[in-house]
Amino acid sequence: VLSQKAVCFIHANAGGFADMTFHLLRSAHFLKADSTGWAGYEFPDELEAVAASGLYADKSQTDRLVVDLSLCFRRFDQIPVWHGILSWIYLVTPYTAATFNGLQFFVARPLGDEIDAEISDPSSPSPTSPTSRTFEIISVQLGIVQTRRETGRAKPPNGTHDFEGRNRFDTQVFEMTLRSGDCLAWRCVHRCDLTFHELDATQAALPAINRGTWIGPGRDVEPGSKVTLTAWQPRRYAIGVQAEVQGFNFYK
């Protein structure tokens, strides 16, 4: 007599990490957590919905550092801290053939006492509205994305549009480490065909410490260094980012 029972098969994909993966999945199941972390818009449903709502193209062409606080990874309910590596970045772009003249992603960690409140409840108000925000650089993408000059169209369009361009970056090869609370950030040397929507009046009126986007002059970034950004914009980029969870920590 054959009995029916759910069976899962786990194997190593040329990396030899089958045992570690098995223990991680068991831990995630026991802790009611996930083996992946998301920040920004989840792909595909949320990203497609915000794309259909109308987006602006980022038309800036100055060297800049950008940290969108909606792209900070939140902790799981049962676990204070998880850590892992970036795996995929999903973008809505003005055109399918997008232009990236000097795009480099990195992981930034917000510094300050307010970070725990932000991770727990990103909508909670803060008693202060600072004029700057400091971040520690945790890990940096090796190399800079540089498309050919003739890629894409002459310039991004004005106004809001239902953009059809989609791009996906596989970032696992860079082994960009992070933990819950860290944010995806980027440097753009010149033109980068990204898209965003502006926060509504209610969101824009809330303190800038835990929403919106911080921008500052472009510069080389290295792990362990710190950057202070002084310009805040009430915008959220049409980006979704996924991380592979590699472990959990019950101590902050």
Side-chain angles (χ1 to χ4, degrees):
V1 178
L2 297 177
S3 60
Q4 294 183 346
K5 185 177 181 179
V7 177
C8 298
F9 293 92
I10 299 176
H11 65 93
N13 288 326
F17 297 112
D19 289 342
M20 184 181 71
T21 302
F22 178 67
H23 291 308
L24 175 64
L25 292 176
R26 288 189 63 185
S27 299
H29 176 73
F30 177 77
L31 297 170
K32 295 181 173 58
D34 202 341
S35 60
T36 60
W38 275 96
Y41 294 104
E42 289 196 19
F43 178 85
D45 295 341
E46 291 184 357
L47 202 61
E48 293 299 330
V50 73
S53 68
L55 297 170
Y56 292 93
D58 189 342
K59 297 172 67 66
S60 177
Q61 296 190 3
T62 59
D63 191 359
R64 59 204 180 275
L65 302 179
V66 182
V67 182
D68 179 348
L69 296 181
S70 74
L71 299 176
C72 300
F73 287 90
R74 307 301 172 187
R75 72 184 186 189
F76 298 123
D77 291 339
Q78 310 289 340
I79 306 165
V81 177
W82 60 265
H83 57 88
I85 62 170
L86 283 182
S87 52
W88 296 95
I89 300 174
Y90 300 89
L91 311 171
V92 176
T93 56
Y95 313 112
T96 301
T99 297
F100 298 111
N101 288 337
L103 176 63
Q104 183 180 36
F105 291 106
F106 60 93
V107 175
R109 180 170 298 164
L111 299 180
D113 296 334
E114 304 86 354
I115 185 61
D116 289 337
E118 294 170 25
I119 297 175
S120 303
D121 183 3
S123 64
S124 61
S126 170
T128 60
S129 180
T131 57
S132 66
R133 193 72 196 266
T134 300
F135 301 86
E136 180 183 357
I137 309 303
I138 303 303
S139 54
V140 181
Q141 168 193 322
L142 295 177
I144 294 179
V145 179
Q146 183 71 51
T147 56
R148 295 174 301 176
R149 292 196 176 188
E150 62 269 22
T151 301
R153 302 187 187 180
K155 61 181 180 179
N158 295 318
T160 59
H161 298 267
D162 180 0
F163 294 119
E164 297 182 356
R166 304 289 185 272
N167 275 263
R168 183 178 70 171
F169 288 88
D170 182 353
T171 58
Q172 298 176 81
V173 66
F174 300 117
E175 297 186 351
M176 298 167 64
T177 58
L178 59 93
R179 74 181 187 194
S180 48
D182 292 345
C183 313
L184 175 71
W186 61 92
R187 178 189 182 186
C188 182
V189 177
H190 190 249
R191 171 181 166 182
C192 295
D193 281 354
L194 303 175
T195 60
F196 65 89
H197 70 84
E198 295 183 341
L199 303 182
D200 61 33
T202 301
Q203 293 173 316
L206 292 171
I209 196 167
N210 48 20
R211 57 195 42 79
T213 299
W214 286 96
I215 303 173
R219 47 165 281 194
D220 292 336
V221 292
E222 297 180 356
S225 63
K226 296 180 175 63
V227 296
T228 298
L229 308 182
T230 57
W232 182 83
Q233 294 290 335
R235 64 175 59 169
R236 180 177 179 181
Y237 280 83
I239 297 176
V241 55
Q242 183 181 15
E244 296 297 328
V245 176
Q246 295 184 324
F248 305 104
N249 191 345
F250 290 94
Y251 302 96
K252 296 182 181 180

